[in-house]
Amino acid sequence: MNESALSRRERLLGGLWGAMVGDALGVPVEFQSRASLDRDPVADLREYGTHRQPRGTWSDDSSLLLCSAESLLGGFDTDDLGRRFVRWYHEAHWTPWGEVFDIGGATREAIANLARGGPAEEAGPRHEYSVGNGSLMRILPLALYSASAATPELLDRAHRASAVTHGHPRAQMACGIYCLVAVRLLNGADPASAYADAAEQARRHYATSPYTDELPHFARLLSGNLRRLGRARIESSGYVLHTLEASLWCLLRADSYRAAVLAAVNLGDDTDTTGTVTGGLAGLRWGLAAVPAEWRQALARRDDVAALFERFAAAVEAAETQ
């Protein structure tokens, strides 16, 4: 299909399903090295592996993305978002098989803070060890819901949503930049244009406190030259900047959803999250039909997920007509 002919709904649903499929592709090989995956690259959904889970299992990445989409059905409310995260961890809400089998350190710390009460936007830790990718992996629904907002409002929402689990300005900025790219892809921009425009907007917006001190960490990403880097220079750990750079790099160099998401997973290390973040962008770019149907159909709780995504798409369309 000609990408320019895709509807916004096809792109939106492509992004959501694309993120979850990327997650499920990465779960069985999480923490495997790049060298080991070069010898035995992922080309299809696998089973068992790292977490001993069945084929089509998604991780905390998708669980928190689903909680985010569900929360946004009632509008943007970070306290409600926080309550759903607590419910996920303590009651296995939006888990594939009724149990939580993976959680990041900062997210665990934030959920403990949320469970004690207090404002959700103050729950996420802000220390130097809290710059992981745990808010980036679940920020896509916020970008889609806020796509018609002006840039300052979009970024403010991204920062506040991030702060529920990751309050460090670097994590907030990564979420903001991802949202800028996602909105442009939703609106039909090609990856190179979406990346260039988002980088320009980010350089302008983040030239003020408290983000100015963080800008040097984003220098390579915001240079506009990410696509030219060789694979050996792209890292794929759980550090939020590594995930954001790797995901954009995979998107910029791919010619299809499948190529982008498999490139992401086969980078190794934090494979589920790199797959999730890349899959969301690639699904927006190439649309729902480009996310292989056999992969979507193999996902755990597929019917429940589909029902939520349809409700979410309708909520986004309603919000854009107000």
Side-chain angles (χ1 to χ4, degrees):
M1 178 182 289
N2 182 355
E3 289 84 18
S4 63
L6 291 171
S7 69
R8 285 172 66 84
R9 190 181 185 90
E10 289 171 315
R11 292 187 189 277
L12 183 149
L13 291 173
L16 295 170
W17 282 107
M20 289 195 67
V21 165
D23 184 7
L25 284 164
V27 165
V29 295
E30 187 177 15
F31 308 130
Q32 285 195 25
S33 70
R34 189 171 303 182
S36 71
L37 289 172
D38 284 344
R39 292 189 295 270
D40 180 24
V42 173
D44 198 353
L45 289 173
R46 296 183 179 184
E47 57 185 354
Y48 301 110
T50 302
H51 297 286
R52 302 294 301 168
Q53 297 292 322
R55 186 174 185 265
T57 296
W58 25 274
S59 74
D60 56 324
D61 299 43
S62 292
S63 289
L64 295 178
L65 182 151
L66 292 165
C67 286
S68 299
E70 183 181 58
S71 177
L72 287 163
L73 295 177
F76 178 62
D77 181 343
T78 53
D79 288 323
D80 180 79
L81 186 65
R83 286 191 291 270
R84 292 178 196 275
F85 291 171
V86 172
R87 187 179 172 198
W88 162 71
Y89 187 60
H90 290 289
E91 302 176 28
H93 182 57
W94 278 121
T95 56
W97 309 115
E99 64 174 352
V100 175
F101 63 86
D102 194 17
I103 184 173
T107 300
R108 188 193 302 272
E109 183 179 344
I111 287 177
N113 292 335
L114 288 164
R116 287 192 289 268
E121 292 175 32
E122 297 177 11
R126 299 171 182 265
H127 50 72
E128 279 297 319
Y129 297 100
S130 63
V131 289
N133 53 24
S135 58
L136 180 64
M137 69 191 192
R138 45 112 177 141
I139 204 67
L140 178 61
L142 185 281
L144 301 176
Y145 184 82
S146 305
S148 61
T151 295
E153 183 179 1
L154 171 68
L155 294 178
D156 177 65
R157 287 184 175 186
H159 301 161
R160 292 166 60 196
S162 173
V164 176
T165 58
H166 291 69
H168 195 287
R170 202 175 310 159
Q172 294 183 22
M173 291 169 70
C175 286
I177 293 167
Y178 185 83
C179 288
L180 289 172
V181 175
V183 167
R184 282 148 182 78
L185 292 171
L186 178 66
N187 290 334
D190 63 89
S193 299
Y195 168 51
D197 189 31
E200 179 183 354
Q201 290 290 321
R203 287 192 297 267
R204 184 182 309 156
H205 186 86
Y206 291 127
T208 58
S209 180
Y211 305 107
T212 312
D213 291 344
E214 295 295 326
L215 274 176
H217 296 283
F218 291 84
R220 188 170 83 161
L221 187 148
L222 296 180
S223 70
N225 297 321
L226 198 59
R227 186 186 186 282
R228 302 175 189 173
L229 299 178
R231 184 170 182 253
R233 297 186 63 190
I234 300 299
E235 299 184 71
S236 51
S237 76
Y239 175 41
V240 70
L241 262 173
H242 289 171
T243 305
L244 182 58
E245 285 192 350
S247 299
L248 288 169
W249 182 84
C250 290
L251 176 76
L252 290 164
R253 294 170 69 97
D255 59 4
S256 67
Y257 170 85
R258 184 187 294 263
V261 77
L262 291 178
V265 169
N266 286 311
L267 289 173
D269 201 355
D270 199 4
T271 51
D272 58 335
T273 304
T274 310
T276 300
V277 178
T278 303
L281 296 178
L284 289 170
R285 164 58 170 161
W286 285 287
L288 179 61
V291 183
E294 64 271 23
W295 289 352
R296 284 183 274 134
Q297 291 165 1
L299 291 181
R301 298 184 62 183
R302 180 187 178 280
D303 291 345
D304 293 335
V305 171
L308 174 60
F309 285 170
E310 289 297 327
R311 292 174 63 205
F312 180 77
V316 170
E317 290 170 351
E320 290 183 341
T321 59
Q322 290 178 355

